[in-house]
Amino acid sequence: MAHDGTAADAAAAPLLAPSSAKSGKPRRNMYAFACATLASMTTILMGYNLALMSGAQLFIREDLGLSDAQIEVLAGSINVFMLLSILAAGWAADLLGRRGTLVLANVFLMAGALAMSLGGSYPALMAARCITSVGSGFSIVVTSVYNAEISPASMRGFLSSFLDMFISLGLLLSYVSNYAFAGLPVHLGWRIMYAVGVVPPVLLAMGVLAMPESPRWLAMRGRDADARAVLLRTSDTPAEADLRLEEIRQAVKEQPQVRNSDNDDDDGGSSNVWKELLVRPSASVRRILVCVVGVHFFQQASGIDAIVLYSPLVFRKAGMSSNKAVLGATVAVGVVKMCFVLVATLFSDRLGRRPLLLASTAGVAASMASLGVTLCVGAAASAAGMAASVVSVLAFMAAFSVGFGPLAGTYSAEIMPLRLRAQGASLGMAVNRLTCALVSMTFISLADAITMPGCFFLYAGVGAAACAFVYARMPETKGRSLEDMHVLFAK
């Protein structure tokens, strides 16, 4: 049902006050910046919960007497658990709205952190990881969609990159937490690490309620007046807002079954979307799917979670012996990741997605090969060998974070047509998490089978293949309208 009355407009007004704009003058949109920031902050908790296991496993293993196999499954299982919530996130985002789904994500993240801090056995920790996975899956999918949909074209690369920047911030905070609480008694330290993550989701949920709903979601529900009100606040000029609204209307008209009133049943529209994605995709949708699935697969298959989750084991293999030294080195990894994600965030709109992705994938291949070599040559645990291994890990994290990390989600959200965007983002992220689970749940076993240097040579080969994939299949998207992306994949 369309909402075009004064009362409806007032009810739909977001809680954030719009930035003042001078009539007729283009401006750099700080309101869109604030909206994307609030949405992305939920992923801090996702990054924190995912990476905290890196250091916490050292103490959980000792406290609960877990085996290598149990630690491996505990560390990687969250990615398997996330599959269901990731696939459901598109449906939830279309049914509840992007904003409502992010509030729900924070509820699950809070419950998961509390359950982890209280867990006293292996099954209890596995159940806690399952609870956390629901919030993580919802947050990673919906944040990428929301940021792409709220952003004006001039800032879309910058704001969409917030997803990985805030995940990286969560990762860094988890490494700092590992280091800060490492000196506590074994049975207490790792529990406090997780307990720290209980309160922030409550505050973030309140922050999410202060941001507007996605204009594309509003238009899909027939609420064009509300959508225009949001677009006026999140566009650089009123003329751009009108153009964006017209493009959204045109895209919605192409798929009338997804334009339902708030009281209609959405199952039919959702079912048709999945059929168009997987059963009868057009040639252009098929090409888009290849890009979305391919970039998400290669991002994780290049070994990022082997570094994020198992860098303490890598540094011990390189010759470090004390927990403090190992966890201090992981903090450096988090700092480097955060800094280079910021580089990608600042330059993706200026340089474009494709050049950064090409440089990133080439750097990933080279640094993984270097790490394999240094672990082989530095087997005697000399100071030079340890330093070379640490430098190689930091180089990998820098290369990954300057393009591959932040831009995979950005690119996928950009190229998906509006009618397929929520479910398409879910599908890409499901591939991402499944590949991540494969890497994180096999690293220790694979290192036993082909040695740890062998693992990194394997990941280097994947990085080289990723570079070839980006070169052959992924066109530049910088500056294009979201509704005009299909032109890139028409041939």
Side-chain angles (χ1 to χ4, degrees):
M1 179 172 64
H3 294 246
D4 51 12
T6 304
D9 287 341
L15 298 178
L16 284 173
S19 57
S20 58
K22 296 181 181 179
S23 177
K25 292 185 178 180
R27 57 188 170 83
R28 199 69 172 169
N29 196 287
M30 297 307 296
Y31 184 69
F33 174 88
C35 294
T37 299
L38 282 173
S40 301
M41 286 180 73
T42 300
T43 60
I44 294 177
L45 301 170
M46 177 201 164
Y48 184 85
N49 282 285
L50 283 176
L52 194 61
M53 186 59 67
S54 172
Q57 64 177 282
L58 301 175
F59 309 104
I60 294 174
R61 184 195 306 263
E62 183 178 348
D63 184 25
L64 301 182
L66 303 187
S67 66
D68 282 348
Q70 287 175 318
I71 288 293
E72 195 174 46
V73 172
L74 186 62
S77 61
I78 191 171
N79 296 294
V80 177
F81 296 146
M82 281 173 67
L83 288 176
L84 184 59
S85 61
I86 282 171
L87 292 173
W91 169 81
D94 283 347
L95 180 65
L96 303 176
R98 284 43 165 160
R99 187 171 63 172
T101 308
L102 286 175
V103 171
L104 190 60
N106 278 288
V107 172
F108 279 100
L109 287 167
M110 178 191 67
L114 182 61
M116 279 297 293
S117 67
L118 298 176
S121 66
Y122 180 66
L125 294 181
M126 289 292 288
R129 296 290 269 178
C130 184
I131 295 170
T132 304
S133 74
V134 179
S136 298
F138 281 178
S139 67
I140 196 171
V141 172
V142 179
T143 299
S144 65
V145 171
Y146 181 85
N147 285 0
E149 293 181 344
I150 207 75
S151 306
S154 63
M155 300 176 68
R156 195 172 61 241
F158 174 64
L159 298 184
S160 296
S161 298
F162 277 17
L163 176 68
D164 198 66
M165 185 171 71
F166 280 88
I167 291 175
S168 298
L169 178 57
L171 181 148
L172 174 59
L173 291 175
S174 73
Y175 288 158
V176 171
S177 180
N178 287 157
Y179 186 81
F181 298 116
L184 294 176
V186 170
H187 71 282
L188 185 62
W190 67 271
R191 296 181 187 280
I192 293 180
M193 293 175 192
Y194 282 101
V196 167
V198 173
V199 176
V202 180
L203 304 176
L204 290 177
M206 292 188 290
V208 167
L209 290 174
M211 70 191 198
E213 186 51 83
S214 159
R216 286 175 174 80
W217 184 83
L218 293 170
M220 289 170 69
R221 312 298 294 191
R223 297 169 57 179
D224 288 359
D226 296 345
R228 186 174 186 276
V230 176
L231 286 169
L232 284 171
R233 293 169 169 87
T234 59
S235 298
D236 293 331
T237 64
E240 182 189 356
D242 291 336
L243 179 61
R244 289 172 69 187
L245 180 60
E246 184 56 37
E247 289 174 338
I248 293 169
R249 283 172 174 164
Q250 192 62 38
V252 170
K253 285 178 182 178
E254 293 176 4
Q255 286 292 319
Q257 72 272 14
V258 300
R259 184 174 176 144
N260 298 316
S261 69
D262 289 342
N263 297 321
D264 287 341
D265 184 0
D266 284 307
D267 289 346
S270 179
S271 174
N272 287 332
V273 166
W274 283 113
K275 285 180 181 177
E276 185 173 354
L277 270 175
L278 301 177
V279 180
R280 293 188 299 273
S282 64
S284 61
V285 169
R286 192 179 302 113
R287 294 186 187 100
I288 289 171
L289 273 178
V290 168
C291 283
V292 170
V293 170
V295 73
H296 279 292
F297 167 78
F298 282 118
Q299 184 202 59
Q300 294 300 323
S302 63
I304 178 62
D305 261 47
I307 299 298
V308 168
L309 288 176
Y310 299 111
S311 54
L313 300 184
V314 176
F315 293 139
R316 282 188 169 176
K317 174 71 174 177
M320 292 186 184
S321 56
S322 74
N323 282 343
K324 276 287 185 179
V326 165
L327 295 178
T330 63
V331 172
V333 171
V335 170
V336 168
K337 189 177 196 308
M338 187 70 202
C339 291
F340 280 87
V341 167
L342 185 59
V343 170
T345 300
L346 294 174
F347 286 95
S348 62
D349 282 322
R350 186 176 304 175
L351 299 178
R353 288 42 152 173
R354 183 177 159 89
L356 288 176
L357 284 168
L358 286 170
S360 178
T361 50
V364 162
S367 55
M368 276 297 192
S370 172
L371 181 56
V373 170
T374 58
L375 288 177
C376 287
V377 175
S382 65
M386 283 190 284
S389 297
V390 172
V391 169
S392 295
V393 171
L394 297 180
F396 165 80
M397 194 56 76
F400 181 88
S401 302
V402 81
F404 222 177
L407 295 182
T410 298
Y411 194 93
S412 299
E414 283 183 322
I415 64 177
M416 271 291 172
L418 168 62
R419 64 189 183 276
L420 309 176
R421 187 166 295 136
Q423 284 82 356
S426 296
L427 180 62
M429 197 53 62
V431 172
N432 183 290
R433 292 296 98 188
L434 187 60
T435 309
C436 181
L438 180 64
V439 171
S440 58
M441 295 176 71
T442 61
F443 178 75
I444 296 175
S445 301
L446 189 62
D448 288 340
I450 65 173
T451 73
M452 192 175 289
C455 289
F456 294 120
F457 288 132
L458 176 62
Y459 299 145
V462 173
C467 188
F469 178 83
V470 171
Y471 181 81
R473 306 289 305 201
M474 298 177 64
E476 182 58 69
T477 61
K478 180 183 71 170
R480 280 189 175 271
S481 161
L482 286 177
E483 280 66 45
D484 192 39
M485 289 293 177
H486 67 279
V487 174
L488 294 175
F489 299 90
K491 295 182 180 180

